[in-house]
Amino acid sequence: MKKKIVVTGGTGYIGSHTAVELIEDGYEVILIDNLYNSEAEVADRIGMISGITPQLEVFDLCDQERVNNFFSTNKGIDAIIHFAAYKAVGESVNKPLEYYRNNLVSLLNLLDAMKLYGIPYMVFSSSCTVYGQPEKLPVTEDAPTRPAVSPYGNTKKIGEEIIRDTVLSDNNIKAISLRYFNPIGAHPSALIGELPQGVPENLVPFITQTAWGLMDELKVFGNDYDTPDGSCIRDYLHVVDLAKAHVIAVQRLIENRNKSNYEVFNLGTGKGVSVLEAIKSFERATGIKLKYRITRRRPGDIEKIWADPSLANRELGWKTLSSLDDAMRTAWEWEKNIRKKNRTL
């Protein structure tokens, strides 16, 4: 019998790519999404790629009654991969209460349901933002978590603490938090990818929308950081590589290969790339010259961070396979495909 996995935020960027990898690995997948920042059509695109269209349930995880109704009528769920959250750093600075309410209440409702309906495993979508601006680079899992520089980052830090405390109090629940760095790119089919509503908060969709002509220019937030070229440094990894890590984490839990009831892993390439280097990568991968302008720093941004992924390499047997140029190329193919299909987007 196929193992049954619930993917919350399943029509979102990372959730949809993870759903594809799960289905292709033989799992039964149920998506939950409120479609706040995604479209129901994504479930059909997952089906086009994988050959199986997953069940999609549309409701808000902050609605505890709806959560309980879902889990009471969908029996035999083996694990939850929890992506559903608001995720824009800049927006969270302006709307902190919305971020705390949405990201934490949804998590609490899921953990309550796990206890009530006997669901043993969770993989949590965490973030390198829990490290704040680290003193030592690259960052290992042993690095101290620091006061977050944004409410979004704080919801991930608090979320991890809630999960850890829940697991410590209940041996029937085991969890893995995956702290990932900066996912970019799209599925090589160009059928799913990152499609933010409104002005993009993340760099790569801003790059691709500028290249398509939706934006007049790309804004680079600051060139006076203590980095080689003055722009922020991040660790950019291909979203398909990231999705595969979630499948491995689920397998680890189900097969009882975890070394403790709560584990944490960094997911990144181990290489820091500046914003200006990322722009050059896109130009190199696509042959398109980007128009960009340096603007002032953005509130909530940290200066530089990249991962030490050696623990995930060793324990999960996972590592990134795609290059930065590969990721940029797939992001651009996705952008072109979605814009050509629907000129009104």
Side-chain angles (χ1 to χ4, degrees), residues 280-333:
K280 290 175 184 175
S281 171
F282 178 83
E283 293 178 336
R284 185 169 56 244
T286 65
I288 296 171
K289 191 72 175 174
L290 284 170
K291 181 181 179 182
Y292 65 89
R293 176 170 59 91
I294 308 296
T295 66
R296 64 183 180 180
R297 296 184 181 190
R298 182 173 58 177
D301 279 343
I302 63 170
E303 182 172 83
K304 51 190 171 185
I305 189 169
W306 62 92
D308 178 346
S310 57
L311 183 65
N313 298 162
R314 183 172 65 252
E315 287 293 326
L316 300 180
W318 172 90
K319 64 178 180 179
T320 56
L321 299 176
S322 297
S323 69
L324 180 62
D325 285 10
D326 291 335
M328 291 294 185
R329 193 175 298 110
T330 57
W332 178 231
E333 291 303 315

Side-chain angles (χ1 to χ4, degrees), residues 33-81:
D33 208 298
N34 65 1
L35 305 181
Y36 171 79
N37 196 30
S38 60
E39 300 172 340
E41 181 191 352
V42 172
D44 296 326
R45 295 186 202 143
I46 292 170
M48 292 171 67
I49 297 169
S50 67
I52 299 173
T53 301
Q55 175 184 337
L56 171 61
E57 299 289 335
V58 180
F59 64 91
D60 194 326
L61 290 168
C62 290
D63 185 337
Q64 189 168 32
E65 184 177 352
R66 292 292 301 273
V67 171
N68 287 335
N69 286 343
F70 168 81
F71 285 105
S72 66
T73 55
N74 288 271
K75 305 293 187 182
I77 292 169
D78 293 284
I80 296 170
I81 304 180

